[in-house]
């Protein structure tokens, strides 16, 4: 990995030299735009409006609109005058409880690597964050922009998670949320049962980006001149009444579907003589021949 930022992580009078690395990367397939008729690649050029004159990137500025609606052009030299904090420092301002920062504010994560000869200060802050169950709220400058961030520990590495500014998070203003929707006790109980039947620990490795998998299959099939997937029937547009016709029945069926196959296996493992009882439970699950086999065992015992 290549570091994208280097500086000091500071809290109080303590400075911790660190390097920042992007913690994520895209696994999307790379592509470029082409003319679909013959595959000729599409290129974009920066040209003056109304002409075919191309403008050099170094000559391009940004136009901003004022509150009164006027347009103001700012060059790179103008933007360089902004009194943005230039010091290479991640300044911790507060330590807040972890549960007070809603994940909706999380933006991009960066790993922080200790950059000094002795990683003791880094290890001390990392362990202190873990034991106090708090996040460090900090500000720093990245690519000439002031960023708000939360410092947290993932595994054995400190991670700097940039945060959205408060005015970047929209309010959920939907009329449907204002209505008082009556919920029956049976529905709530059944929904809780369904949640409990699906409860598990989070394991990201068991999930797969099916879009990328299917895209790869489509690319290979297209290259071979074959069909990648069977055609799917057109979806029918069902009314709202059909969708919520019997919510309780749907919940019950879901709970039954989740719990019925798994329950016998757990009980069998918990009881004594697992081998014998497992066989006994498997026999009723089989079709008629299995039942006849169980019936023949009875006379054999009497004969003995």
């Amino acid at each position: 990995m290549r570091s994208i930022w280097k500086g000091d992580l500071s809290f109080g009078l303590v400075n911790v030299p660190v390097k920042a690395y992007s913690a994520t990367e895209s696994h999307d397939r790379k592509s470029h735009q082409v003319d679909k008729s013959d595959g000729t690649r599409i290129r974009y050029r920066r040209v003056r409006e109304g002409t075919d004159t191309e403008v050099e990137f170094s000559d391009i500025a940004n136009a901003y609109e004022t509150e009164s609606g006027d347009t103001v052009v700012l060059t790179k030299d103008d933007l360089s005058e902004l009194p943005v904090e230039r010091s290479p420092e991640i300044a911790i301002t507060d330590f807040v409880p972890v549960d007070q920062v809603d994940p909706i504010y999380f933006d991009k994560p960066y790993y922080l690597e200790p950059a000094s000869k002795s990683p003791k200060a880094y290890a001390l802050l990392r362990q202190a964050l873990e034991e106090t169950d708090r996040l460090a709220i900090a500000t720093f400058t990245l690519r000439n922009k002031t960023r708000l961030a939360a410092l947290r520990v993932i595994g054995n590495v400190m991670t700097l998670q940039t945060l959205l500014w408060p005015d970047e998070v929209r309010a959920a203003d939907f009329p449907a949320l204002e209505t008082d929707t009556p919920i029956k006790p049976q529905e709530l109980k059944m929904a809780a049962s369904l949640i409990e039947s699906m409860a598990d620990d989070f394991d990201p490795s068991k999930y797969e980006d099916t879009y990328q998998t299917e895209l790869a299959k489509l690319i290979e099939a297209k290259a071979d001149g074959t069909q990648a997937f069977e055609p799917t029937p057109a979806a029918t547009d069902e009314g709202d009444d059909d969708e919520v016709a019997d919510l309780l029945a749907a919940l019950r069926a879901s709970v039954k579907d989740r719990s019925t196959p798994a329950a016998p296996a757990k009980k069998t493992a918990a009881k004594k003589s697992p081998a014998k009882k497992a066989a006994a439970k498997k026999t009723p699950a089989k079709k008629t021949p299995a039942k006849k086999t169980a019936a023949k065992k009875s006379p054999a015992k009497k004969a003995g």
Side-chain angles (χ1 to χ4, degrees), residues 167-227:
D167 60 352
E168 292 182 304
V169 179
R170 293 178 173 179
D173 186 15
F174 306 118
L177 301 178
E178 303 298 327
T179 59
D180 186 14
T181 306
I183 302 295
K184 298 178 182 179
Q186 303 98 314
E187 293 172 341
L188 185 59
K189 183 178 179 180
M190 199 58 63
S193 297
L194 177 57
I195 291 173
E196 191 60 32
S197 70
M198 299 174 69
D200 202 353
D201 293 325
F202 178 58
D203 178 12
S205 64
K206 74 178 185 180
Y207 301 99
E208 180 186 8
D209 187 345
T210 54
Y211 174 81
Q212 292 299 324
T213 303
E214 292 173 353
L215 177 61
K217 187 176 180 181
L218 178 61
I219 292 170
E220 295 304 320
K222 193 80 171 179
D224 296 338
T226 59
Q227 184 173 338

Side-chain angles (χ1 to χ4, degrees), residues 38-169:
D38 59 4
T40 302
R41 188 161 183 169
I42 303 296
R43 299 285 184 180
Y44 287 90
R45 295 188 303 137
R46 301 178 180 88
V47 298
R48 292 175 57 87
E49 185 175 354
T51 72
D52 195 38
T53 306
E54 192 166 354
V55 181
E56 294 293 331
F57 184 77
S58 58
D59 294 330
I60 295 177
N62 292 85
Y64 295 86
E65 189 174 303
T66 66
E67 293 182 0
S68 60
D70 296 330
T71 299
V72 175
V73 176
L74 296 180
T75 64
K76 293 178 181 178
D77 290 337
D78 293 328
L79 294 172
S80 66
E81 296 177 8
L82 288 172
V84 181
E85 186 178 358
R86 302 282 180 186
S87 64
E89 181 180 79
I90 300 171
I92 295 176
T93 57
D94 306 283
F95 290 93
V96 303
V98 172
D99 58 4
Q100 286 187 2
V101 182
D102 193 284
I104 197 172
Y105 286 96
F106 289 165
D107 193 12
K108 186 172 176 58
Y110 297 90
Y111 291 141
L112 295 184
E113 176 194 22
S116 63
K117 293 181 180 179
S118 172
K120 185 173 183 179
Y122 180 98
L124 175 63
L125 179 57
R126 179 186 62 197
Q127 188 170 339
L129 282 174
E130 284 187 302
E131 293 190 0
T132 57
D133 197 28
R134 288 181 177 268
L135 296 178
I137 302 301
T139 57
F140 72 110
T141 302
L142 179 65
R143 299 187 181 96
N144 296 330
K145 289 185 179 180
T146 304
R147 315 276 178 164
L148 183 66
L151 186 68
R152 59 198 186 106
V153 179
I154 299 179
N156 67 340
V157 64
M158 283 197 291
T159 304
L160 190 70
Q161 186 100 35
T162 56
L163 302 176
L164 298 174
W165 296 100
D167 60 352
E168 292 182 304
V169 179

